[in-house]
Amino acid sequence: LLDEAIVAFKEATSLNPNYSEAYNNLGNALKDQGKLDEALDAFKKSILIRPNYAHAYYNMGIAYQEHGELTQAIEAFKKSVLLKPDYAEAYSNLGNILQELGKLDEALDAYNKSISLNPNHPEIYSNIGLVLQDLGKLDHALNAFNKALALKPSYALAYHNIGVVLNEQGKPDDAIISCNKA
């Protein structure tokens, strides 16, 4: 199916070279095939045609992230949220990269912005908890993990993370209970 989609998107761009959305869709299909360099070229063409296309910047950020070019990914996600300030997913992905790079305060800011826009996302609460844990704010981390569980009671990773924090707090019995729930 991806091969057929790529052919269709390429046909669309040849029929209308200013069809920004087709380049964006082509980039997504190429990215899904693991052709990241070609995908990035398609996203760049999309943005060249439509410089304020937040979704193309977002998709470019994902491609850069998968390509291991984290600085470029950060810039793409920042551009995306600059153009679309209510883009919760872009803030979340920005937070993921910043967390990976050890920029915990910036990651926490990005996650908090994301959760303010999409408060029903348990994975973001879990990510907030992990950052707070790394910052040594264990009680706040537990609160974040519990918010994740309130939204998704079967969220095994949140139970695991709670167990890790409880163990760090010197509560091994409670940690074991939580880990068993995971």
Side-chain angles (χ1 to χ4, degrees):
L1 274 178
L2 280 178
D3 288 333
E4 293 173 16
I6 289 169
V7 169
F9 293 135
K10 285 182 178 180
E11 179 68 20
T13 60
S14 69
L15 292 171
N16 182 357
N18 291 319
Y19 193 2
S20 179
E21 290 82 359
Y23 281 109
N24 182 54
N25 292 335
L26 173 61
N28 281 328
L30 290 165
K31 178 179 60 66
D32 290 347
Q33 279 194 333
K35 298 177 181 175
L36 297 177
D37 290 329
E38 291 178 56
L40 287 166
D41 287 342
F43 294 133
K44 289 174 187 175
K45 287 178 185 171
S46 177
I47 291 166
L48 187 62
I49 296 164
R50 187 173 156 198
N52 61 347
Y53 195 8
H55 295 297
Y57 279 103
Y58 172 79
N59 292 327
M60 182 189 302
I62 292 171
Y64 274 131
Q65 185 176 10
E66 289 179 12
H67 205 266
E69 299 179 53
L70 301 184
T71 301
Q72 292 90 333
I74 288 170
E75 292 308 311
F77 289 132
K78 283 183 177 180
K79 183 68 175 183
S80 180
V81 297
L82 180 67
L83 294 168
K84 188 177 184 324
D86 63 344
Y87 208 158
E89 296 86 0
Y91 281 109
S92 178
N93 283 345
L94 177 60
N96 292 341
I97 295 171
L98 292 168
Q99 183 178 4
E100 185 178 334
L101 293 174
K103 298 179 178 186
L104 300 180
D105 290 327
E106 291 177 59
L108 189 57
D109 289 343
Y111 288 141
N112 282 330
K113 184 63 176 174
S114 180
I115 209 71
S116 74
L117 296 166
N118 182 5
N120 297 316
H121 202 291
E123 290 80 8
I124 298 171
Y125 280 111
S126 184
N127 290 341
I128 288 170
L130 290 170
V131 171
L132 291 167
Q133 180 183 356
D134 286 346
L135 290 170
K137 299 177 180 181
L138 300 182
D139 289 334
H140 295 292
L142 286 174
N143 288 336
F145 295 136
N146 282 314
K147 286 180 183 177
L149 285 174
L151 293 170
K152 186 176 175 182
S154 63
Y155 194 14
L157 183 59
Y159 282 111
H160 167 78
N161 292 336
I162 288 171
V164 171
V165 170
L166 289 170
N167 192 52
E168 286 181 36
Q169 290 181 324
K171 302 173 185 174
D173 294 336
D174 292 335
I176 290 170
I177 292 169
S178 189
C179 287
N180 283 334
K181 288 181 183 177

